[in-house]
């Protein structure tokens, strides 16, 4: 979908057009599911999180001030819902990250498992920046908007998250021998 058409749909949705909102969700449904799944690592929970986020965002779309930030706005809602889902079940998600130069798809199953395990051990705000940066390919500014944090903080979180992942991965390999 081109940006102009998307902006028109967002503006119509803000004015209360349910068909426009439906078209937007149809456009983003795969993205929303993928993002939710990365947080909860469970098909049913991911679908529940997306459903809840879609409903919440529909009910609150009139509060969206900048139509060009629809994706960022709905992502923030989805992340909050996913965290709520996790808190209800008191479990931590397994998340993936691709910090290496090769793409995640090219990694072996063992490498993916090691990275998933390492990312799972990160504090919540570090996991969030890693997912948004490396899986969803958001810019620092977009991540700052989603997390409602200054860009400098996001850069610091990313740096600390990478360092912590390196430490965890090295530690795991040392003890694995």
């Amino acid at each position: 979908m081109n940006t102009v058409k998307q902006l028109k749909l967002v503006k119509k949705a803000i004015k209360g057009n349910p068909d426009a909102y439906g078209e937007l969700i149809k456009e983003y449904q795969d993205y929303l599911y993928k993002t939710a799944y990365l947080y909860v690592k469970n098909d049913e929970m991911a679908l529940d999180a997306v459903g809840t986020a879609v409903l919440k965002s529909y009910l609150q779309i009139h509060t969206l001030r900048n139509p060009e930030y629809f994706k960022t706005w709905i992502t923030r809602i989805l992340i909050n819902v996913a965290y709520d889902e996790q808190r209800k079940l008191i479990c931590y998600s397994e998340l993936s990250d691709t910090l290496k130069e090769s793409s995640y798809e090219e990694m072996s199953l063992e490498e993916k498992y090691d990275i998933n395990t390492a990312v799972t051990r990160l504090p919540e705000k570090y996991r969030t920046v890693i997912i948004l940066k490396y899986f969803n390919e958001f810019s620092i500014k977009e991540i700052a908007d989603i997390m409602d944090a200054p860009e400098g903080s996001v850069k610091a979180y990313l740096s600390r998250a990478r360092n912590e992942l390196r430490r965890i991965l090295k530690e795991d390999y040392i003890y694995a021998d």
Side-chain angles (χ1 to χ4, degrees), residues 34-41 93-96 131 135-136:
K34 174 184 157 190
T35 301
Y37 187 84
L38 288 170
Y39 279 90
V40 298
K41 275 298 193 204
S93 60
E94 284 185 23
L95 305 170
S96 298
I131 290 168
F135 272 105
N136 296 327

Side-chain angles (χ1 to χ4, degrees), residues 119-136:
V119 173
T120 300
R121 293 170 54 185
L122 291 174
E124 186 175 301
K125 63 185 171 187
Y126 294 171
R127 275 197 312 262
T128 298
V129 296
I130 291 294
I131 290 168
L132 294 175
K133 178 71 176 162
Y134 294 102
F135 272 105
N136 296 327

Side-chain angles (χ1 to χ4, degrees), residues 2 15 32 60 71 78 86-87 137 140 145 149 169:
N2 69 38
K15 291 179 181 177
L32 293 170
Q60 295 299 315
K71 185 176 181 180
L78 180 65
Q86 285 180 318
R87 284 185 204 110
E137 299 176 1
I140 298 295
D145 289 343
L169 289 168

Side-chain angles (χ1 to χ4, degrees), residues 136-163:
N136 296 327
E137 299 176 1
F138 279 109
S139 68
I140 298 295
K141 181 182 180 349
E142 291 170 323
I143 295 170
D145 289 343
I146 290 168
M147 293 182 72
D148 199 23
E151 289 181 39
S153 295
V154 170
K155 290 176 185 177
Y157 295 161
L158 263 175
S159 176
R160 291 177 194 147
R162 284 190 216 110
N163 289 337

Side-chain angles (χ1 to χ4, degrees), residues 9-55:
L9 285 173
V10 173
K11 288 176 183 178
K12 286 180 181 180
I14 290 171
K15 291 179 181 177
N17 184 325
D19 294 331
Y21 183 78
E23 279 189 58
L24 286 168
I25 296 305
K26 190 174 182 179
E27 181 68 26
Y28 287 111
Q29 67 186 4
D30 292 339
Y31 161 77
L32 293 170
Y33 173 78
K34 174 184 157 190
T35 301
Y37 187 84
L38 288 170
Y39 279 90
V40 298
K41 275 298 193 204
N42 176 291
D43 289 326
E44 290 177 25
M45 284 179 62
L47 289 171
D48 287 346
V50 170
T52 302
V54 166
L55 179 60

